[in-house]
Amino acid sequence: MSPRPPILVGTLHPRLLVDDFAACFRFYDAVLDGLCGAKVAEGNAQGPYARWNADDEPVLAVIDRAAMKTMLEVREGDADTALLCFRLDDVPAAQRLCEEYGGSVVSAAAPRPEWGPETVVAYVRDPAGHLIELQASPD
């Protein structure tokens, strides 16, 4: 089998799913600059989402667990504490790749215009059940 061309063109970063968004925002906003030079790039303590970047690259994102469950439009996520977010060139291809190697689709690739024009997102679980977000957006 010949190697596949890479699908990943952007970044990989963790997203923490939290119950007390404001407290976690304040914590990470206070410590990330000193730990790795990351500064808040998006969001605020009111939530439900915030991201910290270092040198324009995402380092960490925090999202309110209840908001995440709403985004998935299923009753999933009660046990999840984190997910991996891949920013990609081709979400449907990445979703197929994950399925081919034992991943299960939670939410199939679909447009998310509320996140930005041309944003496409899918959620899959790896064989161990970890949540993965596959995202393509023009930014």
Side-chain angles (χ1 to χ4, degrees):
M1 176 189 282
S2 62
R4 297 171 197 231
I7 298 169
L8 180 67
V9 295
T11 63
L12 164 67
H13 65 277
R15 285 193 180 164
L16 304 180
L17 308 179
V18 301
D19 291 318
D20 188 343
F21 185 90
C24 287
F25 178 91
R26 287 190 301 272
F27 174 81
Y28 286 107
D29 199 43
V31 303
L32 284 175
D33 188 26
L35 292 174
C36 63
K39 298 188 183 326
V40 70
E42 183 177 350
N44 58 46
Q46 285 72 47
Y49 174 82
R51 186 184 74 244
W52 289 263
N53 289 3
D55 298 325
D56 295 323
E57 292 295 324
V59 169
L60 177 73
V62 176
I63 189 164
D64 180 81
R65 185 188 317 276
M68 185 72 207
K69 286 171 50 176
T70 299
M71 282 186 265
L72 289 177
E73 298 173 356
V74 292
R75 298 296 299 168
E76 294 226 17
D78 288 332
D80 292 315
T81 58
L83 66 86
L84 290 177
C85 177
F86 289 87
R87 288 201 176 169
L88 306 161
D89 185 17
D90 186 341
V91 171
Q95 178 184 312
R96 287 190 301 273
L97 179 66
C98 291
E99 288 180 282
E100 181 179 338
Y101 288 95
S104 59
V105 175
V106 174
S107 179
R112 294 279 184 172
E114 66 276 17
W115 291 14
E118 302 176 41
T119 299
V120 176
V121 177
Y123 291 95
V124 298
R125 289 195 182 277
D126 71 13
H130 301 109
L131 190 60
I132 299 168
E133 178 178 296
L134 308 171
Q135 181 190 128
S137 57
D139 60 7

